Amino acid sequence: HFLNSCPASFTMEVASLSVAALGFVCIATSVKKSQDRWAKERSLPRALSDERNGTAPLPVLAVHVLHAEMLKNFHSKRLMLRVKYGFKSQHLRCDTSEFVPELRVQPKISRLVHRQPASQACAELSSTCLFLLSNDIEPILRLSVRRAGIRKCSVAKASVELALLSKGGVADLPLSGPRGEKLGQISIATEVMEVHPSDLAALSALPGAATQRGALLVAGGPPVVEGEVVCGSCDSSLGDDSTPPMVGQPIKLHAGGKIGAVQPAHI
């Protein structure tokens, strides 16, 4: 009745806006579906489930998320961490479990030497995100601390190129807020390995493991050690509560973080 009582020009404008809004929604939905399909085709879970890969070792990027130190304002806040491998729309992602930072008071001497605040909100994350390494994904890691819950809005971010990370070394990445303010730091370590599918399958069966759309998350951070790629590397002598090591051969990266002699698995 309202539209019937309005001028024809106004009615046409409303109709045009409705069509434009519908078109925008359709385009956004199509882009999201394309991005989801792109990520699924390059995901580690997809590679593990694809019988065409057989028993050939898979190139894996392991991102060990160790701990986070943030401003005391984040004390007792429910947070989670999202790790993205890749850039912008073409990336794989892995979400850690929820964590709650606890307040830790720094000793006075430590504050003076390291120029740290009197107190910080700290959390041990001890999680590992496993991605399928690929040459068509930009060699960059992007991390975002997000509020836990339905909205999951980002509160702090960090990023680093794979080529800048030393092999097996721990990197402390500064966390920046929406306006570029420093909010703390997050410690990570990375490994680039060839790993046998049976070892990855054993990890995915652990109680703390979760298969996600683009990656495999293992709570407790499985140690990645160098060695021959063999079947059943999870030693039965380890206790039921132990996280088995993931055994594999290291992969060399060229300048820019690209894979060296090893090519990505066929998926």
Side-chain angles (χ1 to χ4, degrees):
H1 294 290
F2 173 74
L3 290 177
N4 291 337
S5 62
C6 294
S9 59
F10 178 79
T11 304
M12 290 297 294
E13 289 179 4
V14 172
S16 298
L17 289 173
S18 299
V19 172
L22 181 60
F24 177 79
V25 171
C26 291
I27 293 174
T29 302
S30 176
V31 170
K32 187 178 185 306
K33 287 183 177 179
S34 176
Q35 292 173 352
D36 290 346
R37 182 167 57 252
W38 183 93
K40 183 177 180 181
E41 290 173 351
R42 291 160 179 80
S43 71
L44 184 59
R46 169 71 178 273
L48 287 175
S49 63
D50 195 333
E51 296 180 354
R52 290 177 297 175
N53 287 326
T55 59
L58 297 175
V60 172
L61 168 64
V63 182
H64 307 291
V65 185
L66 306 177
H67 57 269
E69 298 177 358
M70 305 183 70
L71 297 183
K72 62 180 181 180
N73 307 14
F74 293 95
H75 167 57
S76 298
K77 301 292 185 183
R78 294 174 52 239
L79 305 171
M80 51 86 66
L81 180 72
R82 175 166 293 173
V83 181
K84 293 182 179 179
Y85 164 42
F87 189 69
K88 297 295 183 181
S89 59
Q90 294 186 329
H91 65 265
L92 302 174
R93 79 182 195 192
C94 176
D95 291 343
T96 69
S97 303
E98 180 181 315
F99 64 93
V100 180
E102 297 180 355
L103 204 60
R104 185 180 69 185
V105 179
Q106 297 285 355
K108 186 175 182 179
I109 295 180
S110 177
R111 299 202 307 267
L112 293 175
V113 174
H114 301 287
R115 297 182 180 180
Q116 294 178 333
S119 58
Q120 292 179 309
C122 304
E124 294 295 330
L125 303 180
S126 301
S127 298
T128 294
C129 294
L130 301 175
F131 299 99
L132 183 68
L133 194 68
S134 178
N135 266 336
D136 60 354
I137 298 179
E138 287 296 321
I140 186 172
L141 291 177
R142 296 180 295 131
L143 298 85
S144 61
V145 178
R146 312 171 81 87
R147 297 188 185 278
I150 299 177
R151 295 185 62 184
K152 292 185 174 63
C153 60
S154 176
V155 297
K157 295 182 178 181
S159 63
V160 64
E161 296 180 8
L162 286 180
L164 300 180
L165 296 174
S166 61
K167 176 186 173 184
V170 176
D172 297 323
L173 307 181
L175 288 168
S176 301
R179 294 180 296 275
E181 68 275 26
K182 186 176 180 181
L183 299 181
Q185 66 179 27
I186 190 161
S187 300
I188 68 169
T190 59
E191 296 280 356
V192 179
M193 312 285 285
E194 272 193 322
V195 185
H196 200 283
S198 63
D199 294 320
L200 292 169
L203 286 174
S204 66
L206 292 174
T211 300
Q212 302 185 8
R213 184 185 65 181
L216 175 63
L217 172 69
V218 182
V224 182
V225 297
E226 295 183 16
E228 294 297 328
V229 180
V230 295
C231 294
S233 64
C234 303
D235 194 340
S236 59
S237 62
L238 293 172
D240 293 337
D241 297 331
S242 300
T243 303
M246 186 168 60
V247 180
Q249 291 289 352
I251 299 175
K252 293 183 179 180
L253 298 182
H254 287 157
K258 295 297 184 179
I259 305 173
V262 180
Q263 295 297 320
H266 174 72
I267 57 174

